[in-house]
Amino acid sequence: MAKEANKVLDLNKVRNIGIIAHIDAGKTTTTERVLYYTGMVHKIGEVHDGSATTDYMEQERERGITITAAAITASWKGHQVNVIDTPGHVDFTAEVQRSLRVLDGGVVVFDAVAGVEPQSETVWRQANNYSVPRICFVNKMDRTGANFQRCVDMIIERVAGNPVPIQMPHGEGADFAGIIDVITMEFITFEGDMGNDIKRHPIPEAYREEAETRRQFMIEKVVENDDFLMEKYLGGEPINNDELLGAMRAATIAGKIHPVLCGSALKNKGVQVVLDRVIDLLPSPLDIPAVKGTHPKTDEELVREAKNSEPTAALVFKIITDPFVGRLAFFRVYSGVVKAGTMMLNSSKGERERIGRIVRMFADKREDVEEVQAGDIAAILGLKETFTGDTLCDPNNPITLEKISFPEPVIELSIEPNSKQDQDKMGVALRRLAEEDPTFKIEVDDKLGQTKIKGMGELHLEILVDRMMREFGVQANVGRPRVAYRETITRPTRIDTTFKRQTGGSGQYARVVMEFEPLSEEDRTQLKPGEDSLFVDAIRGGTIPKEFIKPSFNGAKDAMSGGVMAGYPVVGIKVSLVDGASHDVDSSEMAFKVAGSMCLKEGVQKAGPVILEPSMKVEVVVPDEFTGTIVGDISSRRGIIAGMEPRGGGSTGVRASVPLGEMFGYATELRNMTQGRGSFTMEFERYTQAPAHIADEVIKGGR
């Protein structure tokens, strides 16, 4: 094992890829085929019978969905491929977010019948944010209603992609027999029980004309991005396949085109060719720009190349609590080498960490390695202070890499342990689960003596409570889900607050003048990741000494987090500290903190405060005969219909914007309205002002 670890990794032969898509598009099924064809498993596991390798949690196997991103190392044609199978359900969007942060390329899987679905749009947008090059795999070509071209058109309409089909299906639905590769101009079939026997045939006459047309389109799209090939093309010179693939790779890595492949993972057709094109078209760690970070003390910008000779820099992107071995920290090495037994600096926390065991992950199995080189992904056992988004680096050359930002939770519920023993276990369980999942928040309400847990949706909290009970043996009573409302203001105001307290000896004195106004669009561009309000130091002439400015803002921030009207956080405001006064003896940081808090509370009360409610982007897919019923029901839930479109197979997709508070229990009601034939997806869209009657209920505690 040690010998293996000490071999220098050829980074040109490494691919760090994620398989990303909407729920039920076939990501895990595709990943199972990747494992099988690369020799990592000798029997294909299936999602529908609960035996998928990457869905190793009990909750995943019972529900047939992926909840946590699973990392696997496989090898294909002399290349090392690190694959991350990510969840498709919107409640687990953080898993996709953190995976994309460390990946070099992505395979976006689409359902050939449903096309581009809502969560496909979300993952596409996340991939855009992290500039992840991607290829597309139109899966389920064997299903009735499959339509390859419609799916390609939807990639343009829904996500503004630039799809370039490099394959086409031989037949669709029940007639799907294989794929036609328009690069090599061959008809490829996958024979034998597991599709292992790949046969290449001439293209049948009935498909030749369409294949020629598609090849011509592909060449035109590729040469647009390559001046040398454009000259050859315009001069009528032939372009060979190696030149074409080289130019296609460059355009894919630059994000200018998105090559599209097709197949059926469940029927074992097309996955090996997807692997070939992952190697041909997606980047190695050397093809992506050098990672940038900052010096933890000076904030000076630093750059690290993907080389073993550079100082070590690695980013921890995921934590898993394993009941047998403790905490596992997944990490990506951007530069240098991480070795077992060495000391490293967690620059995000300023703490030193000893690197204990390093393991290469194979879903829930693992093998020990002695070192992990630049460009590679692995996991460390036993880190004490290091969590998601933290940087591990060489103590003599500190660097902090950009953290991963996560969306705020939109739903909460109360949870009470059954006994004193359960209370202790629950504290440990919730802390461990929060370490794993940055979108899971815990809040203890001292007034009510109640613990609240917050998450991204009903399913998210349901799974976490289920894990708490099963994995940690906690028995607890769970309250009904509640919406995580917010508070904000609608008009500007200026508040002058003096905090004065005289006791024996020195007293307390602070005066702050703050201006409050709703955030403008221009203000929003100045927000740092994870922030939702802006704080501006507008003190002139030193009326407040510098050391008291930060405590003034901290007081205001504390008051904002506790809310003013109904106890919900205040967001979307600009707070400017414009004036004030201090006393040589009686002023202190604590006095200014109290004054800042008092000023904020009075300011919000006088600036037209309103309650904000989360509005969700909802898509319901139902048989055509139920469309009218569904549209009426959505309208009755204060929903606004955004559009409707045919979805193939006699069904319609209804898109709408609906307040989250009206959507609790919708899954059951939808089943009742559609005889069990409807399905829906929901994701957070934005916060909107709640109507007066809803706001009154929230303030009175009735919602």
Side-chain angles (χ1 to χ4, degrees):
M1 191 61 70
K3 267 189 217 160
E4 188 66 31
N6 292 332
K7 278 198 328 198
V8 175
L9 196 62
D10 180 356
L11 286 187
N12 283 309
K13 295 197 168 179
V14 173
R15 299 290 180 273
N16 294 313
I17 64 159
I19 297 187
I20 55 177
H22 183 89
I23 191 168
D24 276 347
K27 296 176 302 304
T28 301
T29 306
T30 303
T31 306
E32 281 296 320
R33 271 55 187 179
V34 168
L35 291 177
Y36 176 73
Y37 296 128
T38 56
M40 299 304 285
V41 294
H42 302 294
K43 175 181 176 294
I44 291 181
E46 300 294 6
V47 175
H48 52 260
D49 61 18
S51 60
T53 310
T54 54
D55 284 354
Y56 56 85
M57 286 167 59
E58 284 176 38
Q59 292 84 351
E60 294 178 309
R61 292 184 166 170
E62 286 170 3
R63 289 169 173 79
I65 61 169
T66 301
I67 293 167
T68 62
I72 295 132
T73 299
S75 97
W76 183 253
K77 298 193 172 172
H79 289 68
Q80 178 181 310
V81 185
N82 295 318
V83 185
I84 296 186
D85 170 32
T86 64
H89 197 287
V90 67
D91 283 13
F92 309 105
T93 188
E95 289 290 329
V96 185
Q97 189 104 337
R98 56 177 161 200
S99 301
L100 286 170
R101 169 72 174 80
V102 297
L103 293 170
D104 301 330
V107 177
V108 189
V109 182
F110 295 102
D111 180 328
V113 180
V116 180
E117 297 172 274
Q119 186 63 4
S120 316
E121 294 180 51
T122 305
V123 296
W124 192 279
R125 196 170 59 244
Q126 289 171 324
N128 283 345
N129 291 344
Y130 288 118
S131 304
V132 175
R134 67 217 83 137
I135 61 176
C136 306
F137 177 52
V138 178
N139 189 26
K140 305 192 179 184
M141 284 306 310
D142 58 307
R143 278 186 60 200
T144 305
N147 188 326
F148 178 70
Q149 189 54 47
R150 180 171 159 274
C151 200
V152 171
D153 293 341
M154 284 179 82
I155 294 171
I156 301 169
E157 292 157 21
R158 283 279 189 101
V159 294
N162 188 11
V164 177
I166 59 174
Q167 293 176 353
M168 58 179 268
H170 183 293
E172 294 180 330
D175 300 329
F176 179 61
I179 57 176
I180 292 168
D181 191 315
V182 296
I183 297 176
T184 59
M185 291 301 276
E186 297 170 311
F187 168 39
I188 305 173
T189 57
F190 302 84
E191 294 166 19
D193 288 347
M194 307 312 303
N196 279 331
D197 189 6
I198 301 175
K199 295 263 188 347
R200 297 173 185 271
H201 322 264
I203 297 173
E205 206 51 52
Y207 288 88
R208 180 158 282 283
E209 189 180 335
E210 187 188 345
E212 294 283 4
T213 306
R214 285 192 182 276
R215 179 177 169 83
Q216 198 59 30
F217 174 81
M218 173 187 71
I219 291 171
E220 286 170 8
K221 281 283 194 183
V222 171
V223 300
E224 278 174 11
N225 301 292
D226 188 299
D227 293 343
F228 172 70
L229 290 190
M230 179 64 95
E231 276 184 41
K232 281 187 85 168
Y233 177 71
L234 293 175
E237 294 179 53
I239 295 170
N240 68 46
N241 286 346
D242 287 344
E243 290 175 320
L244 194 60
L245 273 171
M248 193 181 292
R249 175 185 174 83
T252 304
I253 291 171
K256 291 177 179 169
I257 64 168
H258 305 109
V260 185
L261 300 90
C262 62
S264 167
L266 188 64
K267 294 288 193 288
N268 308 311
K269 289 181 166 70
V271 175
Q272 299 99 312
V273 186
V274 172
L275 278 168
D276 289 343
R277 296 309 180 211
V278 162
I279 303 299
D280 293 337
L281 302 174
L282 289 179
S284 75
L286 297 175
D287 295 317
I288 58 166
V291 72
K292 289 181 180 169
T294 54
H295 192 287
K297 290 201 169 68
T298 63
D299 280 347
E300 170 201 353
E301 188 176 278
L302 303 168
V303 176
R304 294 280 191 270
E305 302 276 344
K307 293 177 183 167
N308 290 349
S309 55
E310 287 265 301
T312 305
L315 184 75
V316 172
F317 66 94
K318 180 176 169 58
I319 300 289
I320 288 182
T321 302
D322 186 301
F324 302 108
V325 295
R327 192 186 296 138
L328 264 173
F330 284 82
F331 67 103
R332 156 86 190 251
V333 184
Y334 282 95
S335 63
V337 179
V338 175
K339 293 185 180 178
T342 57
M343 288 298 280
M344 292 191 75
L345 173 70
N346 175 339
S347 58
S348 311
K349 301 255 174 41
E351 302 275 351
R352 284 180 175 249
E353 286 271 28
R354 186 177 180 281
I355 306 301
R357 278 175 67 196
I358 304 178
V359 292
R360 194 174 285 295
M361 295 304 295
F362 168 57
D364 60 338
K365 301 183 183 73
R366 53 189 77 87
E367 63 177 23
D368 285 89
V369 293
E370 293 200 355
E371 63 178 37
V372 184
Q373 301 174 22
D376 208 352
I377 289 175
I380 303 172
L381 283 161
L383 294 180
K384 296 197 169 45
E385 303 292 335
T386 303
F387 299 106
T388 299
D390 287 354
T391 302
L392 290 171
C393 62
D394 177 348
N396 300 319
N397 292 279
I399 184 173
T400 304
L401 302 176
E402 185 191 339
K403 272 192 164 297
I404 310 169
S405 59
F406 295 106
E408 283 298 307
V410 293
I411 188 170
E412 61 183 43
L413 52 80
S414 61
I415 185 161
E416 290 179 4
N418 285 358
S419 66
K420 175 75 177 77
Q421 190 184 3
D422 282 320
Q423 185 163 7
D424 298 338
K425 283 200 284 189
M426 188 175 93
V428 172
L430 292 180
R431 196 171 66 250
R432 292 264 179 86
L433 293 169
E435 285 170 1
E436 283 187 30
D437 185 346
T439 58
F440 175 53
K441 298 277 183 2
I442 307 153
E443 190 179 281
V444 178
D445 188 327
D446 294 326
K447 291 179 216 154
L448 299 172
Q450 213 179 43
T451 301
K452 284 184 192 164
I453 57 174
K454 302 181 177 187
M456 301 307 295
E458 283 182 274
L459 179 65
H460 186 204
L461 292 182
E462 184 191 316
I463 299 272
L464 287 161
V465 169
D466 190 30
R467 286 188 62 195
M468 182 185 78
M469 291 177 172
R470 280 198 212 185
E471 291 175 29
F472 298 94
V474 177
Q475 295 305 309
N477 293 319
V478 181
R480 66 183 181 86
R482 293 168 63 106
V483 177
Y485 292 100
R486 296 284 186 268
E487 302 175 12
T488 193
I489 60 175
T490 55
R491 58 176 183 260
T493 189
R494 178 185 173 104
I495 303 292
D496 186 336
T497 299
T498 302
F499 171 62
K500 201 172 183 178
R501 185 163 292 163
Q502 201 60 49
T503 53
S506 63
Q508 296 281 3
Y509 177 83
R511 176 177 164 243
V512 296
V513 182
M514 287 179 171
E515 289 178 354
F516 303 96
E517 57 189 295
L519 269 186
S520 66
E521 284 309 311
E522 189 184 336
D523 293 334
R524 287 183 190 280
T525 61
Q526 297 175 49
L527 292 176
K528 291 178 183 164
E531 288 185 348
D532 47 31
S533 288
L534 192 62
F535 296 86
V536 179
D537 173 8
I539 292 292
R540 297 287 171 269
T543 53
I544 296 180
K546 222 170 182 49
E547 67 267 24
F548 295 144
I549 289 172
K550 194 171 179 185
S552 304
F553 284 139
N554 286 344
K557 286 177 185 173
D558 286 352
M560 285 169 72
S561 64
V564 176
M565 298 168 73
Y568 291 103
V570 177
V571 298
I573 68 172
K574 180 179 179 181
V575 180
S576 304
L577 182 59
V578 293
D579 200 1
S582 65
H583 186 277
D584 290 346
V585 177
D586 291 352
S587 286
S588 65
E589 288 191 5
M590 181 52 71
F592 274 91
K593 191 171 181 182
V594 173
S597 173
M598 290 164 57
C599 195
L600 183 284
K601 285 177 181 171
E602 189 184 346
V604 170
Q605 292 284 14
K606 290 186 174 172
V610 291
I611 296 287
L612 298 175
E613 61 181 351
S615 183
M616 311 302 281
K617 188 160 81 175
V618 177
E619 178 149 347
V620 189
V621 178
V622 290
D624 292 343
E625 67 258 38
F626 299 112
T627 307
T629 308
I630 293 305
V631 169
D633 180 69
I634 287 173
S635 300
S636 74
R637 295 171 186 270
R638 299 191 285 127
I640 297 163
I641 303 294
M644 291 191 285
E645 60 192 4
R647 272 305 179 93
S651 62
T652 299
V654 180
R655 284 181 291 130
S657 201
V658 191
L660 174 61
E662 307 295 333
M663 291 298 288
F664 288 144
Y666 186 65
T668 306
E669 291 180 41
L670 178 64
R671 277 198 295 273
N672 294 339
M673 286 186 287
T674 62
Q675 298 165 9
R677 293 158 68 197
S679 64
F680 82 104
T681 55
M682 178 168 78
E683 68 172 298
F684 173 71
E685 190 172 26
R686 63 182 185 276
Y687 272 96
T688 56
Q689 188 173 330
H693 70 283
I694 299 288
D696 288 344
E697 280 184 51
V698 172
I699 292 166
K700 287 173 190 160
R703 280 180 83 89

